[in-house]
């Protein structure tokens, strides 16, 4: 009976078999892109370029881990790019005043977490839709950072340990990559194996259900906002360190890259659905394309255009897959 | 069969019947909503269409209204075979359906609504407002009902909005008027008035389809009754050939006693839930106790406050006044987290909206409330979780291909069993069930009834909110009746009759 029903629409089941798993598609896409670029430009797989890619991936992945959890709870944060720039400025300023990289880093992360908390409170207490709320905070932060400082704040004391956060290595591995790996693994474990992770899915899948089951839904959403904010703090420190300055104009469009990567990885904007492995692959696909356009010496404007096309294509594939699933 | 003979006899004598539907079939994905259903109307007669939820009444009506297309079968209007493409098309062919959810534009006046599709215009093409008002008043005179035709429609009570819909039927010269559960939110006086108007319609030679599951009303107003069950035509008989029992039997397909197994004896006498003087925006001074091992049924008409009460006592909605104690301990602070930890939870009437996590697997849905008990240091012991879930899947005979099937792919009955299992796994002592069999087919209903009975026998206290009289009488040890947010009656199992309960429900 079941086979009779599913047999006729052959094309649909073929598509279903081909794109049976969103992550397989991403892996395949990644392989194709890497091989293609490598054939055209062999220096693509030089260790210098690979490390450059990894460092780029690390920055995005750190924030994307938080964003994945936030999207799973059916909320979103568009202010992460604006916050990223502000974090760098605040951290640099505190370092210049206190002469302590540790206090500067703490201030940067705390600032990011505070932005997350404010976002979370606006969404959970004032019941403002998170898309709108964080567009609001994005604008406030973009203006605010210029009120705080018109110009880039330089590393006045020339503290080398600040530069190490972004540019340093442990053995052959850049420090940001290690930081990103630790955050990724911790996030993966939390989301996959703990009650906290399961509750985040529950809140996103159906908030009323979660509340009727005795879950602290407000608290869970706040957690995801604050975590995302704190991770923006970490990424902001790395960016500031790479530039060795607090740059108010940094981070433009960063939020779009992060959200695009998370969505590309199969996390649903409507909540309750998503994986960190998918997010990892999504970040890699976007960043490899980014790098490829540079090493291929293509027009730089394509760095925005190509990911846009890829994102739409990936989501459309996912729709085809679900349709095939539903049969 | 007498039914066929009766229809045949009529067909020979008079002009073509206003409506003949034969062999109507309709499939939705995974569900056969209608299977070879026949329905014929006589001019000037009221034809009741009865059946439980999911029997196919609404689907049949929606096909007639042009909301759904039919898969198979033929429709004849006044002897001519036809198809009904859209609601507007239905109206043009003389069919007016008055749905439960009134489809009027609430910002328009009564008169404007009546002539919505065909405003009379003057020579210049401008609308002749004076004529609209006059014509509207004339229509209301014909049905013997007085309403301010300049009133904003949304400001009128539902009963008057129904009259506006009926006037619209006359304005379109409809020959067939369908009333879909018209009395579900009316007071008895309004029901009496509605019946007067329906009799006026039949006197004008209009055929009326009266959709309802209320027996008393059908006996009062109908000439003929067609019963549907599980999408199939069960019987069509003159009302005179039916008794309450034969109608119920046709509707549920078996004796009422078979549907409600009873394994339990007396309740223990220990108070499991004590509600005192609870008041909210919608509730006034609600006080009652529930004992371990009993089912306390709450009945009420639409808007009586049953769901509001259910949500208040499980901490989901705030209360203004009163106290709630579960097993002697007060529900304080008043939230669901405290409620669940004290051992009370809600099996919601709105499974999709408030019960299920549709995209998540069966096991996650089942374990949600009890997840903490499978965790050490925040880490979930997934093996233990799966074993516990599998235990309930086996025990409740939940039909799912696997624990990891997304729950949206299960039938309503199986979804309901998962939600019930969610609470049992958590170990609640008081379970509040709101319309436990809404949207569930008859076979699964019986299983849910048996489960509720079993839970009470195991010593749980069950508070059951229902609008289904057979369910209420079949399952409850005691019955509380609500009206306008208050408790208006309280009956023991032996005292409770449909009549007494309805009288108490009508405030």
């Amino acid at each position: 009976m079941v086979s009779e029903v599913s047999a006729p629409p052959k094309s649909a089941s073929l598509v279903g078999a081909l794109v049976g798993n969103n992550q397989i598609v991403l892996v395949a896409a990644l392989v194709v892109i890497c091989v293609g670029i490598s054939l055209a430009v062999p220096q693509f797989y030089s260790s210098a370029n690979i490390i450059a890619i990894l460092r780029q991936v690390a920055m995005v992945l750190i924030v994307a881990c938080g964003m994945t959890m936030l999207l799973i709870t059916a909320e979103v944060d568009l202010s992460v790019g604006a916050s990223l720039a502000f974090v760098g400025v605040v951290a640099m300023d505190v370092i210049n005043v206190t002469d302590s990289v540790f206090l500067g880093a703490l201030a940067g992360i705390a600032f990011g977490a505070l932005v997350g908390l404010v976002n979370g409170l606006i969404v959970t207490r004032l019941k403002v839709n998170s898309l709108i709320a964080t567009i609001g905070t994005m604008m406030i932060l973009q203006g605010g950072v210029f009120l705080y400082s018109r110009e880039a704040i330089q590393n006045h004391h020339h503290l080398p340990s600040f530069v190490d956060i972004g540019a340093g290595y442990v053995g052959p591995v850049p420090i940001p990559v290690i930081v990103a790996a630790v955050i990724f693994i911790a996030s993966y474990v939390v989301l996959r194996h703990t009650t906290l992770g399961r509750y985040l899915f529950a809140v996103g899948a159906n908030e009323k259900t979660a509340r009727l089951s005795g879950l602290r839904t407000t608290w869970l959403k706040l957690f995801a906002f604050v975590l995302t904010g704190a991770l923006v703090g970490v990424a902001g420190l790395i960016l500031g360190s790479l530039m060795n300055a607090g740059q108010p104009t940094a981070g433009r469009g960063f939020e779009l890259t992060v959200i695009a990567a998370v969505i590309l990885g199969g996390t649903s904007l409507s909540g309750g659905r998503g994986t960190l492995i998918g997010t990892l692959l999504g970040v890699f696909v976007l960043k490899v394309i980014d790098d490829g356009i540079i090493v291929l010496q293509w027009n730089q404007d394509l760095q925005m255009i190509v990911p846009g096309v890829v994102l739409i294509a990936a989501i459309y594939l996912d729709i085809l897959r679900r349709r095939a699933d539903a049969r | 069969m007498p039914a066929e003979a009766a229809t045949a006899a009529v067909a020979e004598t008079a002009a073509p019947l206003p409506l003949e539907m034969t062999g109507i079939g309709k499939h939705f994905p995974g569900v056969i909503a209608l299977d070879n259903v026949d329905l014929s109307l006589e001019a000037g007669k009221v034809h009741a269409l009865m059946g439980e939820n999911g029997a196919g009444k609404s689907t049949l009506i929606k096909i007639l209204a042009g909301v759904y297309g039919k898969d198979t079968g033929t429709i004849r209007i006044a002897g001519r075979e036809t198809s009904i493409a859209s609601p507007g098309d239905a109206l043009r062919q003389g069919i007016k359906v008055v749905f439960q959810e009134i489809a009027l534009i609430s910002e328009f006046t009564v008169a404007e609504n009546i002539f919505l599709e065909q405003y009379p215009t003057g020579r210049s093409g401008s609308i002749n407002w004076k004529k609209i008002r006059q014509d509207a008043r004339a229509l209301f005179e014909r049905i013997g009902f007085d309403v301010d035709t300049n009133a904003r429609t949304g400001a009128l009570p539902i009963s008057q909005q129904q009259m506006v819909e009926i006037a619209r039927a006359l304005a379109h010269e409809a020959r067939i008027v369908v009333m879909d559960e018209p009395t579900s939110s009316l007071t008895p006086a309004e029901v009496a008035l509605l019946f007067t108007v329906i009799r006026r319609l039949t006197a004008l030679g209009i055929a009326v389809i009266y959709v309802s599951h209320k027996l008393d009303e059908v006996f009062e107003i109908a000439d003929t009754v067609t019963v549907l069950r599980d999408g199939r035509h069960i019987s069509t008989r003159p009302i005179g050939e039916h008794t309450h029992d034969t109608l119920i039997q046709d509707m549920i397909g078996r004796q009422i006693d078979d549907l409600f197994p009873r394994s339990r004896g007396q309740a223990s006498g220990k108070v499991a839930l004590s509600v005192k003087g609870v008041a909210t925006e919608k509730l006034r001074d609600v006080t009652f106790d529930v004992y371990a091992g009993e089912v306390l049924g709450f009945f009420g008409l639409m808007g009586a406050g049953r769901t509001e009460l259910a949500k208040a006592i499980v901490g989901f909605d705030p209360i203004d006044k009163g106290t709630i104690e579960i097993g002697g301990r007060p529900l304080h602070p008043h939230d669901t987290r405290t409620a669940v930890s004290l051992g009370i939870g809600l099996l919601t009437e709105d499974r999709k909206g408030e019960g299920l996590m549709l995209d998540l697997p069966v096991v996650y849905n089942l374990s949600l409330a009890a997840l903490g008990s499978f965790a050490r240091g925040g880490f979930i012991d997934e093996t233990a979780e799966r074993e516990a879930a599998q235990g309930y899947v086996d025990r409740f005979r939940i039909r799912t291909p696997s624990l990891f099937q997304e729950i949206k792919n299960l039938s309503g009955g199986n979804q309901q069993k998962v939600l019930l299992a969610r609470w049992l796994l958590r170990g609640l002592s008081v379970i509040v069930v709101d319309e436990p069999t809404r949207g569930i087919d008859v076979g699964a209903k019986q299983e849910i009834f048996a489960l509720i009975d079993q839970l009470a026998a195991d010593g749980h206290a069950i508070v059951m909110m229902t609008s289904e009289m057979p369910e209420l009488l079949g399952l409850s040890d005691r019955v509380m009746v609500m009206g306008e947010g208050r408790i208006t009656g309280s009956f023991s199992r032996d005292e409770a009759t449909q009549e007494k309960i309805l009288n108490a429900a009508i405030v």
Side-chain angles (χ1 to χ4, degrees):
Chain A
M1 164 82 190
V2 171
S3 60
E4 276 171 27
V5 173
S6 58
K10 267 209 172 100
S11 60
S13 54
L14 186 68
V15 173
L18 274 179
V19 294
N21 186 325
N22 183 38
Q23 294 174 9
I24 293 173
V25 180
L26 284 177
V27 171
L30 200 55
V31 169
V32 168
I33 295 166
C34 287
V35 169
I37 300 173
S38 301
L39 289 177
V41 195
Q43 81 247 31
F44 175 76
Y45 58 89
S46 66
S47 61
N49 193 49
I50 288 171
I51 282 175
I53 291 174
L54 286 179
R55 201 181 265 127
Q56 284 293 313
V57 165
M59 282 256 304
V60 177
L61 182 63
I62 288 168
V63 179
C65 285
M67 190 69 80
T68 303
M69 294 196 202
L70 195 55
L71 253 61
I72 282 171
T73 68
E75 302 295 348
V76 70
D77 184 352
L78 285 170
S79 73
V80 293
S83 179
L84 189 77
F86 218 140
V87 163
V89 171
V90 168
M92 201 72 253
D93 203 25
V94 170
I95 288 169
N96 285 340
V97 171
T98 63
D99 202 13
S100 158
V101 172
F102 175 75
L103 286 179
L106 204 65
I109 293 172
F111 180 84
L114 182 70
V115 171
L117 181 67
V118 170
N119 281 331
L121 288 173
I122 293 172
V123 170
T124 57
R125 299 290 172 200
L126 308 186
K127 314 280 180 206
V128 177
N129 174 296
S130 60
L131 192 73
I132 316 275
T134 59
I135 285 177
T137 47
M138 174 177 82
M139 294 167 79
I140 293 166
L141 290 167
Q142 277 176 353
V145 73
F146 282 106
L147 274 185
Y148 189 91
S149 168
R150 274 270 140 214
E151 285 158 14
I153 297 179
Q154 303 299 330
N155 186 351
H156 291 315
H157 301 282
H158 302 288
L159 295 175
S161 55
F162 182 64
V163 178
D164 285 345
I165 296 174
Y169 289 83
V170 175
V173 189
I175 287 175
V177 174
I178 294 170
V179 172
V182 169
I183 289 172
F184 176 80
I185 291 167
S187 304
Y188 179 86
V189 170
V190 166
L191 208 48
R192 193 64 197 276
H193 295 295
T194 68
T195 52
L196 173 62
R198 190 73 72 74
Y199 291 160
L200 292 173
F201 277 102
V203 167
N206 192 335
E207 189 172 350
K208 284 183 178 164
T209 296
R211 193 149 83 78
L212 275 172
S213 299
L215 271 51
R216 286 179 288 195
T217 53
T218 303
W219 189 91
L220 287 162
K221 288 200 167 188
L222 267 183
F223 167 82
F225 272 110
V226 172
L227 179 75
T228 304
L231 292 177
V232 171
V234 174
L237 286 178
I238 292 170
L239 183 64
S241 160
L242 284 171
M243 297 186 299
N244 199 18
Q247 178 61 263
T249 57
R252 282 284 153 90
F254 181 73
E255 66 280 348
L256 298 181
T257 308
V258 170
I259 294 169
V262 174
I263 303 265
L264 197 56
T267 298
S268 162
L269 260 180
S270 50
R273 201 190 263 271
T275 69
L276 276 164
I277 301 286
T279 295
L280 178 69
L281 291 168
V283 174
F284 263 102
V285 167
L286 289 184
K287 282 298 157 189
V288 165
I289 289 173
D290 216 26
D291 183 82
I293 289 167
I294 296 171
V295 297
L296 289 166
Q297 294 179 323
W298 285 3
N299 188 325
Q300 299 273 313
D301 297 332
L302 289 171
Q303 277 182 306
M304 287 298 274
I305 296 170
V306 174
V309 174
V310 169
L311 183 65
I312 292 171
I315 299 306
Y316 180 62
L317 267 180
D318 194 43
I319 292 171
L320 285 186
R321 179 178 67 86
R322 294 231 181 116
R323 230 180 260 162
D325 268 4
R327 281 176 195 277
Chain B
M1 270 176 79
E4 279 172 14
T7 353
V10 173
E12 279 163 24
T13 53
L17 295 176
L19 175 74
E20 282 174 279
M21 299 173 88
T22 42
I24 304 292
K26 176 74 185 171
H27 294 223
F28 293 110
V31 187
I32 298 170
L34 287 176
D35 183 14
N36 197 22
V37 169
D38 297 348
L39 182 72
S40 302
L41 299 185
E42 290 173 51
K45 296 286 162 96
V46 176
H47 194 124
L49 186 57
M50 300 195 71
E52 293 196 281
N53 291 333
K57 292 172 299 185
S58 331
T59 310
L60 189 65
I61 295 310
K62 283 182 177 163
I63 287 172
L64 192 56
V67 177
Y68 296 150
K70 58 180 165 40
D71 294 345
T72 59
T74 55
I75 300 175
R76 287 171 191 278
I77 292 178
R80 205 167 42 81
E81 185 166 343
T82 184
S83 61
I84 302 167
S86 67
D89 193 24
L91 204 53
R92 277 189 292 280
Q93 301 196 43
I95 302 167
K96 171 69 199 169
V97 182
V98 181
F99 284 109
Q100 238 174 319
E101 310 279 323
I102 302 279
L104 295 168
I105 301 174
S106 60
E107 294 304 316
F108 281 20
T109 68
V110 168
E112 284 168 341
N113 262 304
I114 290 175
F115 294 101
L116 202 54
E117 288 89 352
Q118 43 176 29
Y119 286 135
T121 49
R123 246 167 301 164
S124 60
S126 64
I127 297 171
N128 187 341
W129 293 111
K130 198 174 152 203
K131 184 165 162 36
I132 285 181
R133 281 193 290 274
Q134 280 172 353
D135 289 358
R137 270 197 293 276
L139 286 173
F140 281 113
E141 267 165 38
R142 277 176 74 193
I143 58 172
F145 187 78
D146 190 30
V147 68
D148 177 7
T149 53
N150 288 323
R152 199 177 64 85
T153 309
L156 299 176
I158 296 291
S159 59
Q160 296 195 18
Q161 295 193 28
Q162 277 177 347
M163 296 302 164
V164 177
E165 285 275 64
I166 291 171
R168 259 159 66 86
L170 291 181
H172 288 92
E173 286 163 11
R175 301 310 297 162
I176 299 161
V177 172
V178 185
M179 315 274 318
D180 184 13
E181 307 258 2
T183 60
S184 51
S185 48
L186 300 193
T187 66
E190 289 169 337
V191 172
L193 192 58
L194 176 71
F195 283 2
T196 311
V197 170
I198 289 176
R199 291 195 184 101
R200 289 244 183 169
L201 293 180
T202 53
L204 292 168
I206 291 170
V208 175
I209 299 182
Y210 189 87
V211 182
S212 179
H213 56 243
K214 295 186 180 163
L215 297 177
D216 292 341
E217 288 177 2
V218 168
F219 277 104
E220 185 177 344
I221 193 77
D223 300 296
T224 313
V225 186
T226 289
V227 178
L228 303 182
R229 190 201 316 145
D230 299 338
R232 285 190 303 275
H233 179 266
I234 299 300
S235 66
T236 296
R237 291 193 208 171
I239 191 71
E241 291 182 14
H242 269 300
T243 64
H244 273 69
D245 288 347
T246 58
L247 250 185
I248 290 176
Q249 203 169 328
D250 280 356
M251 281 166 67
I252 65 180
R254 68 201 80 159
Q255 299 289 337
I256 194 163
D257 295 339
D258 301 341
L259 194 58
F260 300 101
R262 252 188 105 75
S263 60
R264 60 188 191 274
Q266 282 292 308
S268 71
K270 223 176 81 186
V271 176
L273 168 70
S274 176
V275 175
K276 286 199 187 75
V278 164
T280 71
E281 205 178 309
K282 296 270 176 63
L283 300 174
R284 280 182 289 155
D285 195 25
V286 175
T287 300
F288 64 91
D289 287 342
V290 191
Y291 299 92
E294 75 165 349
V295 178
L296 177 63
F298 274 88
F299 181 83
L301 302 176
M302 208 193 252
R306 278 168 296 145
T307 296
E308 288 78 8
L309 177 61
K311 287 196 168 155
I313 60 180
V314 300
F316 190 82
D317 286 343
I319 59 171
D320 299 333
K321 263 191 270 176
T323 58
I324 297 160
E325 287 183 4
I326 298 112
R329 285 178 298 167
L331 176 54
H332 188 84
H334 188 88
D335 58 33
T336 51
R337 189 176 164 74
T338 313
V340 170
S341 68
L342 291 179
I344 185 170
L346 174 67
L347 188 68
T348 169
E349 55 155 0
D350 181 5
R351 269 199 301 285
K352 283 201 172 121
E354 298 173 349
L356 300 166
M357 302 184 288
L358 287 168
D359 289 338
L360 296 189
V362 169
V363 53
Y364 290 6
N365 272 283
L366 204 157
S367 66
L368 181 65
L371 204 56
S373 63
F374 299 109
R376 199 171 296 162
F379 284 83
I380 303 165
D381 178 349
E382 282 166 46
T383 317
E385 180 195 9
R386 276 201 294 275
E387 277 168 7
Q390 188 63 48
Y392 275 101
V393 166
D394 296 342
R395 189 177 139 200
F396 285 5
R397 273 177 276 136
I398 297 170
R399 279 170 286 278
T400 176
S402 110
L403 282 177
F404 287 91
Q405 176 70 251
E406 287 174 8
I407 199 158
K408 65 182 169 202
N409 298 324
L410 267 57
S411 74
N414 285 304
Q415 290 175 343
Q416 190 73 316
K417 287 190 227 168
V418 170
L419 295 186
L420 201 50
R422 176 190 288 167
W423 285 133
L424 296 182
L425 194 56
R426 184 63 168 74
L428 294 187
S429 53
V430 185
I431 303 179
V432 182
V433 298
D434 193 3
E435 300 286 358
T437 60
R438 175 168 290 177
I440 289 174
D441 58 61
V442 177
K445 269 186 189 182
Q446 195 177 12
E447 288 185 81
I448 299 285
F449 293 148
L451 280 177
I452 290 175
D453 173 64
Q454 186 58 46
L455 292 178
D458 291 348
H460 291 86
I462 311 285
V463 180
M464 178 177 70
M465 313 296 180
T466 181
S467 57
E468 307 275 327
M469 191 61 80
E471 193 168 292
L472 181 81
L473 294 175
L475 272 176
S476 309
D477 295 290
R478 286 187 297 140
V479 173
M480 296 263 170
V481 183
M482 290 187 77
E484 293 184 351
R486 286 179 295 120
I487 291 179
T488 55
S490 167
F491 305 95
S492 71
R493 181 176 176 83
D494 300 330
E495 295 168 341
T497 65
Q498 178 155 338
E499 210 173 1
K500 283 189 201 166
I501 288 166
L502 277 174
N503 279 333
I506 291 154
V507 184

